Amino acid sequence: FPVTIKKHPNYKSLVALIDKKKTEASKLLLSLDNEGAEYSADSIQKKLKRNQTNLSLFSYFKEVIEELEKKGKIGYANVFTSTKNSFKTFLKGRDINFNELNLSLLLKYEEFLNEKGNSLNTQFVFLRTLKTLVNYAVKEELAGADFNPFKDFSFKKFRNIKTEKRALTKEQILKIKNLDIPEDSKLS
């Protein structure tokens, strides 16, 4: 480095950062070579940027929701939106990075849902959707392939849930059909 650069107040920190980035790039190249994968300068640059990104949980939720809406999967997008809102309430509005998502946090979230009076079905949907979000991030290489906060989380308690029947009986429908409503009533 020229003498003027060495006088920079952060010279040593900058050199260390550059060395760290070179090491990351070398590791990535070695990994791709070992896998026999094809790569270009652009693909390496993208992979390095993704590895450096601190992926925000709620910003990724937003990306997935927008993508689902573009594909016309409005109902599924609504499930993700409800899950995001529930998790945001749990975290009291504080956003977190994906790497902060761990088993302990998931168990606290499950306890939160239970204390709020959510049914087991609702708890299952929220937790399953959160797991799906993590799987999407891994598939897009936004999180490491070994990242799985659900690894030791058990969904066993949700397997045999009997949903309470909410439909009207045939007798109730017939009573409504045969109901005698005066013509001057607001119900007619």
Side-chain angles (χ1 to χ4, degrees):
F1 287 101
V3 175
T4 55
I5 293 176
K6 286 185 177 182
K7 291 181 181 178
H8 189 280
N10 296 325
Y11 170 76
K12 288 182 180 179
S13 298
L14 292 171
V15 169
L17 179 64
I18 291 168
D19 288 343
K20 180 181 173 194
K21 298 298 177 188
K22 283 181 184 177
T23 303
E24 286 176 17
S26 295
K27 284 181 181 178
L28 177 60
L29 285 170
L30 183 61
S31 170
L32 291 170
D33 279 338
N34 287 339
E35 293 170 12
E38 291 185 23
Y39 54 86
S40 66
D42 285 340
S43 67
I44 291 170
Q45 186 179 16
K46 285 179 186 173
K47 284 185 181 279
L48 285 171
K49 277 188 177 180
R50 281 186 173 170
N51 290 345
Q52 295 165 7
T53 303
N54 287 330
L55 183 60
S56 156
L57 183 68
F58 296 131
S59 64
Y60 189 59
F61 254 120
K62 184 180 175 197
E63 283 179 37
V64 169
I65 291 165
E66 288 172 356
E67 190 62 34
L68 289 170
E69 288 172 345
K70 277 185 207 170
K71 292 179 180 177
K73 297 181 177 184
I74 306 302
Y76 200 35
N78 290 340
V79 172
F80 275 84
T81 301
S82 296
T83 303
K84 178 184 131 194
N85 292 340
S86 169
F87 205 71
K88 202 171 206 173
T89 301
F90 163 66
L91 292 175
K92 298 177 182 153
R94 180 180 64 91
D95 199 357
I96 61 171
N97 290 329
F98 250 83
N99 60 5
E100 292 178 68
L101 200 55
N102 57 36
L103 180 62
S104 173
L105 190 63
L106 293 172
L107 292 173
K108 288 175 185 171
Y109 178 54
E110 181 184 21
E111 187 179 320
F112 165 82
L113 292 172
N114 203 24
E115 287 172 0
K116 284 282 195 185
N118 288 287
S119 70
L120 284 177
N121 273 336
T122 301
Q123 292 176 41
F124 173 67
V125 168
F126 286 161
L127 290 162
R128 181 196 63 201
T129 305
L130 199 54
K131 183 175 181 178
T132 301
L133 187 79
V134 168
N135 291 341
Y136 286 169
V138 170
K139 187 176 181 181
E140 290 184 39
E141 297 179 1
L142 297 171
D146 58 338
F147 179 71
N148 184 6
F150 287 90
K151 182 176 69 176
D152 295 321
F153 186 87
S154 174
F155 282 93
K156 191 175 181 178
K157 61 187 142 290
F158 303 112
R159 286 200 183 118
N160 296 319
I161 302 170
K162 297 288 183 202
T163 305
E164 184 182 325
K165 302 299 178 199
R166 297 181 295 255
L168 295 174
T169 64
K170 191 173 183 177
E171 293 79 28
Q172 291 169 323
I173 292 171
L174 288 173
K175 282 182 180 179
I176 293 169
K177 179 183 174 192
N178 296 328
L179 193 61
D180 189 23
I181 301 172
E183 286 190 31
D184 62 339
S185 170
K186 290 182 181 180
L187 296 175
S188 61

